[in-house]
Amino acid sequence: MKGIVFTEFLEMVDGRFGEEFCDRLIDAADLPSGGSYTAVGTYDFNEMITLVEALSRETGKAGPDLMKLFGEYLFGSFSKRYPVFFEQKTSCFDFLTKINDVIHPEVHKLYPDAQLPHFSHDWPDDNSFVLVYQSSRPFAALAEGLIAGAIAYFGEKITLEVEDLAAGAGTMARFNLSKEPGAGPDFSSDFGPDPGHD
Ligand code: HEM
């Protein structure tokens, strides 16, 4: 797993709980790498699981919930660090079609040793979208958080339901997204007050 994922995780922990807590967490996790990550380095993905487990022990929150929270945070970081993927801001569903065919392949060009999951999608009608996550690594909860982050980023009224397809292993999941019919980003303020009709 690329170091950027680890450095963002530690930045999130540092921002929420402070530097001392962050240092303590790294010590408690007893990581093979020692925990001094660089953004371009590559580390065993199991260290991310170990870090989330350590954070779970420290905070009393469930590991998968923390992984989801981190996914939401990470989406925000990606949107700032890699603005090129966010320039043609269309819609959340449109963006999600691009993960597997555009974004992750570009990530792979940038970091040839990146280990990326596979996504397939189905867009049966304007208001429904299905994304299926598949990986040899157990990051379905991270994917869920990233998708939640994308929904928040586009500001559309979309509900997200998750179906576990790997009996708790975290390696395969189906995400069903439903948009409220007619709901979209709220541009009403751009057009001034509604003049009303006679
Ligand atoms: C909603 C959108 C996205 C989803 C659901 C998603 C999902 C994931 C997941 C679950 C992983 C962990 C690896 C695995 O599961 O096997 C991952 C890795 C990664 N993704 Fe994405 N991703 C999204 C968007 C992006 C964007 C916008 C970028 C930035 C350009 C990005 C860059 C990366 C990088 C750098 C990794 C680490 C690769 C590695 O560990 O070697 N992703 N992605």
Side-chain angles (χ1 to χ4, degrees):
M1 177 171 267
K2 292 309 297 175
I4 176 117
V5 182
F6 291 91
T7 54
E8 291 299 332
F9 178 82
L10 293 176
E11 222 174 276
M12 176 188 78
V13 172
D14 191 325
R16 288 203 185 181
F17 301 103
E19 204 178 321
E20 233 173 81
F21 178 98
C22 198
D23 290 345
R24 209 155 23 91
L25 189 77
I26 293 169
D27 279 350
D30 195 17
L31 302 155
S33 73
S36 43
Y37 302 107
T38 67
V40 292
T42 303
Y43 307 89
D44 186 341
F45 70 84
N46 285 302
E47 291 201 7
M48 180 50 63
I49 296 162
T50 306
L51 278 165
V52 169
E53 281 168 359
L55 185 60
S56 170
R57 279 193 301 277
E58 290 286 333
T59 60
K61 290 193 198 310
D65 290 344
L66 291 169
M67 191 68 94
K68 276 180 234 168
L69 281 176
F70 171 51
E72 286 193 59
Y73 177 91
L74 189 61
F75 189 88
S77 316
F78 282 161
S79 67
K80 287 179 206 131
R81 279 182 180 272
Y82 305 96
V84 63
F85 298 122
F86 298 83
E87 273 157 11
Q88 289 172 336
K89 203 175 157 205
T90 47
S91 71
C92 182
F93 291 172
D94 190 56
F95 175 83
L96 295 178
T97 64
K98 299 197 166 77
I99 308 170
N100 202 67
D101 299 338
V102 181
I103 300 176
H104 278 170
E106 286 298 324
V107 170
H108 200 254
K109 277 190 215 160
L110 215 57
Y111 309 115
D113 57 349
Q115 296 176 302
L116 295 157
H118 181 266
F119 285 98
S120 56
H121 70 263
D122 187 20
W123 193 347
D125 61 66
D126 280 359
N127 299 315
S128 334
F129 191 89
V130 181
L131 199 59
V132 176
Y133 164 85
Q134 238 178 317
S135 177
S136 54
R137 295 162 298 283
F139 290 107
L142 183 67
E144 184 182 343
L146 283 158
I147 295 166
I151 292 171
Y153 178 87
F154 285 95
E156 292 166 88
K157 283 204 177 91
I158 294 172
T159 54
L160 173 60
E161 273 173 30
V162 186
E163 278 175 65
D164 173 8
L165 302 181
T171 51
M172 196 171 173
R174 182 186 291 120
F175 300 102
N176 300 306
L177 292 90
S178 319
K179 199 178 336 183
E180 251 178 49
D186 182 7
F187 293 128
S188 54
S189 58
D190 298 345
F191 298 103
D194 183 349
H197 298 282
D198 295 333

